[in-house]
Amino acid sequence: MRARHIYTLPRMPVISRFAPSPTGYLHLGHAYSAWMAWRRADVFRLRLEDIDRTRCRPEYYSAIEEDLHWLGLNWQGEVRVQSAHMADYAAALAKLQARGLLYPCFCTRADIARAATAPHGPEGIYPGICRHLSSTEQDARITSGTPYALRLNVAKAHAEAGVLRFFEENTGWTEAQPERLGDVVLARKDTPASYHLCVVHDDALQDITHVIRGEDLREATHIHVLLQNLLGLPTPIYAHHKLLRGADGKRLAKRDNSATLRALRAAGADAAVIFKSFGES
Ligand code: GLU
């Protein structure tokens, strides 16, 4: 009788990341999110999403690294600090612009709020006020110095990309419906990039195979999958975890100072006990 061999396929390494914004001290909710991504990782990466220069403070950059070290969540490779790479995002934006998928939006928050009360269009989504401006009108406003953002024409982009799917752990294959977020901003009035553009660019650059993050970003994933297609980038596997909530049932926010990792550390908390509580939550 011939010997039977059992072959095991090599498992692809899981490369995940934690990508906080240095706009405050990390709290328990961040620790949970970082731990969820770290515990699955063969390679764990850190990225600081700091393109919103008005909200970031120098002390939070080092505090993030210090707090993660205290938790024992160590990362590999260099920390990607987004503000140091604006040229990368400009190049990605230029690709989309060259394909005619972006349009300038001159709306103020007040314009959008007023239009959103109109009896048409889904709530909370940009109502498309500037989508149909003529190029003459666009040029006139730009020349007159009116500040503008660049929005993605999602219907046009989705039509060009065709049907898109992504794999979400616990849910399975999901068809991307980027229209759910509307014509998102890809370059802000004050910064020539946006969260959606940078996150997609950097997940690919950092070879992220598994994006493990809070369920508050599940809707954003639909746009990210579209952007990956448009920019010729791979789509990672996604997992969206539940958000940690305080005793009042509300999600933890940066303003809840008692739950910051610094405060917990100062009060003598033990990282192992914190992780144990996550495992039970
Ligand atoms: N920078 C985002 C945040 O702090 C996280 C982005 C992501 O995980 O995709 O909420």
Side-chain angles (χ1 to χ4, degrees):
M1 213 167 110
R2 281 181 59 194
R4 291 169 86 199
H5 293 283
I6 297 172
Y7 295 99
T8 43
L9 289 172
R11 188 176 67 84
M12 295 301 284
V14 172
I15 308 177
S16 69
R17 52 41 164 206
F18 177 51
S21 296
T23 55
Y25 291 120
L26 296 185
H27 56 64
L28 271 180
H30 292 109
Y32 182 63
S33 205
W35 177 74
M36 288 294 279
W38 174 85
R39 67 206 272 257
R40 296 275 314 279
D42 295 300
V43 179
F44 181 60
R45 302 210 190 279
L46 178 62
R47 178 162 83 229
L48 300 180
E49 303 205 325
D50 65 339
I51 59 165
D52 187 346
R53 309 299 295 148
T54 58
R55 294 178 56 227
C56 298
R57 299 265 175 282
E59 62 271 28
Y60 297 140
Y61 288 74
S62 49
I64 287 173
E65 299 198 21
E66 233 174 77
D67 291 347
L68 290 174
H69 280 312
W70 173 65
L71 288 171
L73 304 187
N74 298 317
W75 56 91
Q76 283 85 47
E78 264 185 37
V79 180
R80 169 90 174 170
V81 181
Q82 288 189 328
S83 60
H85 302 281
M86 297 309 287
D88 288 5
Y89 311 128
L93 196 69
K95 279 194 198 165
L96 301 174
Q97 201 151 23
R99 286 177 61 176
L101 296 175
L102 307 181
Y103 62 87
C105 172
F106 305 90
C107 291
T108 60
R109 276 178 208 275
D111 293 335
I112 296 172
R114 256 197 311 276
T117 58
H120 46 263
E123 223 173 288
I125 286 185
Y126 178 64
I129 304 164
C130 291
R131 193 187 304 129
H132 303 295
L133 291 180
S134 67
S135 53
T136 321
E137 179 68 17
Q138 290 174 347
D139 291 347
R141 294 207 203 177
I142 291 172
T143 317
S144 75
T146 312
Y148 63 96
L150 289 174
R151 288 185 183 273
L152 179 67
N153 185 334
V154 171
K156 185 174 179 192
H158 197 187
E160 284 193 18
V163 175
L164 300 169
R165 291 191 182 84
F166 60 98
F167 190 80
E168 193 184 3
E169 291 185 346
N170 299 327
T171 310
W173 286 102
T174 305
E175 184 172 335
Q177 297 177 324
E179 290 76 11
R180 280 152 74 152
L181 248 72
D183 289 353
V184 290
V185 168
L186 294 190
R188 295 160 40 149
K189 285 183 183 173
D190 53 357
T191 311
S194 77
Y195 160 66
H196 297 300
L197 182 74
C198 300
V199 79
V200 158
H201 177 278
D202 286 354
D203 281 340
L205 184 97
Q206 292 188 295
D207 296 320
I208 303 302
T209 60
H210 289 64
V211 170
I212 300 167
R213 61 185 175 191
E215 63 189 6
D216 53 328
L217 289 166
R218 177 176 278 125
E219 294 287 291
T221 298
H222 291 258
I223 279 288
H224 297 173
V225 171
L226 173 60
L227 287 172
Q228 284 149 4
N229 175 281
L230 299 172
L231 293 168
L233 304 173
T235 292
I237 289 171
Y238 285 89
H240 300 101
H241 61 75
K242 67 183 168 58
L243 300 179
L244 215 59
R245 296 185 187 274
D248 57 1
K250 294 206 186 108
R251 61 178 285 195
L252 296 174
K254 285 189 173 144
R255 58 183 176 278
D256 302 322
N257 286 329
S258 57
T260 63
L261 299 179
R262 329 230 98 195
L264 291 167
R265 177 161 36 136
D270 179 343
V273 175
I274 293 178
F275 291 149
K276 190 158 181 290
S277 75
F278 291 163
E280 288 156 1
S281 68

